[in-house]
Amino acid sequence: MAAAATLRPALPQGPEQRASSLLCTPKHNRVAAGGRRSLSFAVRASPNSGAKAVSIPKQWYNLVADLPVKPPPPLHPQTHQPLDPSDLSPLFPDELIRQEVTDERFVDIPEEVIDVYKLWRPTPLIRARRLEKLLGTPAKIYYKYEGTSPAGSHKPNTAVPQAWYNAVAGVKNVVTETGAGQWGSALSFASSLFGLNCEVWQVRASFDQKPYRRLMMETWGAKVHASPSPATEAGKKILAADPSSPGSLGIAISEAVEVAAKDANTKYCLGSVLNHVLLHQTVIGEECLEQLAALGEAAPDVVVGCTGGGSNFGGLAFPFMREKLAGRMSPEFMAVEPAACPTLTKGVYAYDFGDTAGLTPLMKMHTLGHGFVPDPIHAGGLRYHGMAPLISHVYELGFMDAIAIQQTECFEAALKFARTEGIIPAPEPTHAIAAAIREAMECKRTGEEKVILMAMCGHGHFDLAAYEKYLRGDMVDLSHPADKLEASLAAVPKI
């Protein structure tokens, strides 16, 4: 079955095309009848002028179908036997379970979901010409900008279908965790569209740093807890041991899963890590393939994205991996993670729990240990002890590389980007920007004219406190304490 993302005639314009029609400069003035002055304008070309509009994909892409070695199955947390799909029924509706385990290459996107996608998709692919000029590099840097969504990030790409499938199944309540607040905002938005009650456990460090993210969620009707919270047994246990715990995504997952497992009318939604989440995010890469072709770029040489749980990186990279596996292009893939939470670069590849309390299935993934609590860096969405099993598997197969970067280098890169391209990035994609700048500067040294494609997964309008800390010189680099990492890895189950 062929992917259904085909070029369409210029009907409704995408965000960049609409913007270019507004970037006008006065050509001359004349006085109209009645004495009013009228203006005529000459259109100023946008960075990607002449590019054809692309359609919203009609299907999501499943990388599992094309891998030469299939990923290891998740295991039941008690029996350690391969998980039966029915074991996931307390947490997810049937269709999401089917997508989680499917071997189909493409999965049709429901029309109702596409109708919501039309609020912001296709998202713009922009060439960072001003950043290139600042760096003096012969490389071309493109970024796929997901910050045009209502929630300001890539997260609604999966929040909308997850909410829709739950609503169709008759679910009344959904619960979830959130780190930086991007995922919680996205699910709150999607739940408001389909009449679901939404409850969110937000990691305490981000809850304190980013009050406006909480207010966004509440504006869309969600109830928000700081995690760890006294509302769950998992939260109470953490608070008893450490009343000042900054929290982690693993802890917040435990709290949300606990609530879902106890109520038949409540289901759990996850913003990253699982196969069906990465599947939904492939709309990013599918659009990008067509946009590059429309711009006359045969293929990127390097695809770069930040990784916490892996959905942003996988969403951009997986369709390009398909093309590479088919021999149609040969890009390199680079995942970038924070030095304070270096899951791919310092973690072990082992079966571990996806949450701190050990309530989830065991997944074969790169992990720092389910008890690892990262230092409270500003990229809250990257503070996760594990990595998506599918990305971990692809990394083990040697299809991609990974590096870890400190947050001060990331924010230095963010300022370069903001002061040339105009967009203030969320702290998470600053990692991708920093890596792209490293690559571009290497091209400057060698003279190579590489095409660098970068995942720009969201804006930082609600992260300005982090920028203030950096601009004042108060931001410090944080690393993973060796003793804490050793202790958490010792608790990884022996399978």
Side-chain angles (χ1 to χ4, degrees):
M1 187 187 304
T6 55
L7 292 176
R8 68 181 180 190
L11 296 173
Q13 293 179 316
E16 186 181 359
Q17 285 76 26
R18 290 195 298 269
S20 67
S21 68
L22 299 174
L23 293 174
C24 303
T25 51
K27 188 175 182 181
H28 63 269
N29 297 341
R30 66 177 184 269
V31 178
R36 292 182 300 172
R37 185 174 298 279
S38 84
L39 301 176
S40 64
F41 295 89
V43 176
R44 185 192 312 144
S46 70
N48 292 341
S49 61
K52 298 177 182 177
V54 301
S55 62
I56 298 171
K58 299 295 191 298
Q59 294 174 308
W60 295 302
Y61 168 62
N62 178 24
L63 179 65
V64 174
D66 290 322
L67 291 177
V69 180
K70 302 306 178 188
L75 304 180
H76 193 283
Q78 276 80 49
T79 67
H80 293 181
Q81 296 301 307
L83 199 70
D84 188 279
S86 63
D87 294 329
L88 297 173
S89 294
L91 298 180
F92 305 113
D94 289 345
E95 179 57 25
L96 290 179
I97 295 172
R98 187 189 74 79
Q99 292 178 9
E100 181 65 23
V101 300
T102 186
D103 286 329
E104 296 176 12
R105 180 170 283 107
F106 295 99
V107 175
D108 291 340
I109 304 176
E111 285 298 326
E112 294 86 349
V113 172
I114 291 176
D115 190 54
V116 179
Y117 279 174
K118 289 176 182 176
L119 292 174
W120 74 94
R121 305 210 69 87
T123 57
L125 175 69
I126 302 170
R127 183 172 170 189
R129 295 180 184 273
R130 293 174 178 82
L131 179 61
E132 294 169 10
K133 183 177 180 180
L134 175 71
L135 300 176
T137 181
K140 297 179 182 178
I141 303 173
Y142 288 94
Y143 59 97
K144 179 66 166 161
Y145 183 44
E146 292 292 301
T148 58
S149 78
S153 76
H154 67 296
K155 294 294 188 178
N157 297 332
T158 184
V160 170
Q162 287 192 51
W164 186 79
Y165 286 123
N166 273 288
V168 168
V171 174
K172 303 299 182 185
N173 314 301
V174 292
V175 295
T176 196
E177 78 295 326
T178 193
Q182 297 276 21
W183 167 242
S185 300
L187 188 63
S188 301
F189 154 69
S191 296
S192 72
L193 298 180
F194 299 115
L196 298 173
N197 299 314
C198 182
E199 196 166 2
V200 182
W201 275 261
Q202 184 176 8
V203 173
R204 164 63 72 178
S206 292
F207 184 93
D208 293 339
Q209 291 172 355
K210 301 171 186 184
Y212 293 109
R213 276 287 167 197
R214 171 179 57 80
L215 288 169
M216 282 185 75
M217 293 182 249
E218 292 174 345
T219 298
W220 278 313
K223 181 178 181 179
V224 187
H225 306 270
S227 175
S229 78
T232 67
E233 293 305 315
K236 290 176 185 176
K237 186 176 179 180
I238 297 293
L239 288 172
D242 181 8
S244 62
S245 171
S248 70
L249 281 168
I251 295 171
I253 291 171
S254 292
E255 298 203 78
V257 167
E258 177 185 319
V259 171
K262 291 179 177 179
D263 185 354
N265 291 318
T266 300
K267 295 293 184 183
Y268 170 65
C269 296
L270 188 62
S272 192
V273 179
L274 294 181
N275 289 358
H276 69 270
V277 181
L278 275 65
L279 174 81
H280 300 157
Q281 291 293 354
T282 58
V283 293
I284 303 172
E286 295 290 5
E287 282 181 5
C288 202
L289 280 165
E290 292 207 25
Q291 287 169 319
L292 284 171
L295 291 168
E297 296 289 359
D301 296 293
V302 184
V303 177
V304 183
C306 65
T307 47
S311 68
N312 148 72
F313 176 82
L316 177 64
F318 283 0
F320 287 90
M321 287 187 184
R322 176 190 68 224
E323 299 303 299
K324 184 172 184 176
L325 287 167
R328 291 187 284 267
M329 59 178 65
S330 57
E332 297 176 354
F333 300 94
M334 178 64 68
V336 193
E337 56 189 11
C341 193
T343 311
L344 286 170
T345 54
K346 296 294 183 181
V348 298
Y349 186 52
Y351 274 103
D352 197 8
F353 296 103
D355 71 311
T356 299
L359 301 177
T360 67
L362 290 160
M363 299 178 287
K364 190 72 174 289
M365 61 182 178
H366 285 86
T367 178
L368 298 171
H370 60 277
F372 184 79
V373 179
D375 286 328
I377 56 172
H378 290 280
L382 305 186
R383 294 179 67 247
Y384 183 56
H385 70 270
M387 182 55 60
L390 188 49
I391 286 181
S392 295
H393 180 62
V394 167
Y395 185 64
E396 285 296 306
L397 293 177
F399 291 174
M400 55 177 278
D401 294 314
I403 58 173
I405 301 181
Q406 291 282 7
Q407 63 178 352
T408 53
E409 180 182 346
C410 294
F411 274 85
E412 179 186 358
L415 290 190
K416 288 185 173 73
F417 188 87
R419 292 171 180 179
T420 53
E421 298 302 312
I423 297 169
I424 299 174
E428 290 77 17
T430 64
H431 293 72
I433 296 170
I437 287 176
R438 285 187 183 183
E439 188 71 31
M441 295 308 291
E442 178 62 15
C443 289
K444 181 178 182 179
R445 187 187 69 82
T446 63
E448 292 178 275
E449 298 181 1
K450 288 185 177 181
V451 174
I452 302 167
L453 174 60
M454 181 178 71
M456 179 64 175
C457 56
H459 66 65
H461 297 172
F462 300 103
D463 303 285
L464 294 177
Y467 281 88
E468 180 182 32
K469 196 165 186 177
Y470 177 79
L471 290 167
R472 288 182 175 179
D474 295 333
M475 183 177 288
V476 296
D477 287 330
L478 299 168
S479 296
H480 53 288
D483 56 341
K484 186 165 70 171
L485 179 57
E486 184 178 351
S488 64
L489 288 176
V492 172
K494 305 297 187 292
I495 305 298

